[in-house]
Amino acid sequence: MFLDENEVEELSGKQRRPAQVRALSFMGIEHKLRPDGSIAVLRAHVEKLFGEGVVSKTKRKTEPRFDLVN
């Protein structure tokens, strides 16, 4: 459900939490600070922003190419 600490570090490109928070904010990634100071980032939010798992709803129309027939 949430990114783990390593994933937050990889996503933000930062090791320290204050820098991670700034990077996430800059990228428009919603996050919350937990009482222990760790960062909670919803995996689904990140996947939605980066287009992971998104299936295109528009299907490309194909028509026969009669010009290729001898």
Side-chain angles (χ1 to χ4, degrees), residues 62-70:
T62 57
E63 296 183 17
R65 296 268 324 261
F66 292 111
D67 59 318
L68 299 176
V69 177
N70 289 336

Side-chain angles (χ1 to χ4, degrees), residues 12-29:
S12 66
K14 305 293 181 185
Q15 292 180 345
R16 296 183 182 203
R17 286 187 181 148
Q20 291 172 342
V21 168
R22 286 192 302 274
L24 295 171
S25 295
F26 180 81
M27 292 187 290
I29 297 172

Side-chain angles (χ1 to χ4, degrees):
M1 176 179 242
F2 295 99
L3 299 183
D4 64 30
E5 290 179 18
N6 293 328
E7 291 171 318
V8 172
E9 183 176 327
E10 185 177 342
L11 177 62
S12 66
K14 305 293 181 185
Q15 292 180 345
R16 296 183 182 203
R17 286 187 181 148
Q20 291 172 342
V21 168
R22 286 192 302 274
L24 295 171
S25 295
F26 180 81
M27 292 187 290
I29 297 172
E30 296 177 13
H31 58 280
K32 300 287 183 185
L33 293 178
R34 295 184 179 115
D36 67 356
S38 63
I39 303 169
V41 180
L42 282 173
R43 182 176 306 281
H45 174 65
V46 174
E47 289 174 348
K48 182 178 177 185
L49 284 178
F50 286 91
E52 181 70 23
V54 175
V55 178
S56 177
K57 292 183 180 180
T58 60
K59 193 171 184 178
R60 189 177 193 189
K61 290 186 178 183
T62 57
E63 296 183 17
R65 296 268 324 261
F66 292 111
D67 59 318
L68 299 176
V69 177
N70 289 336

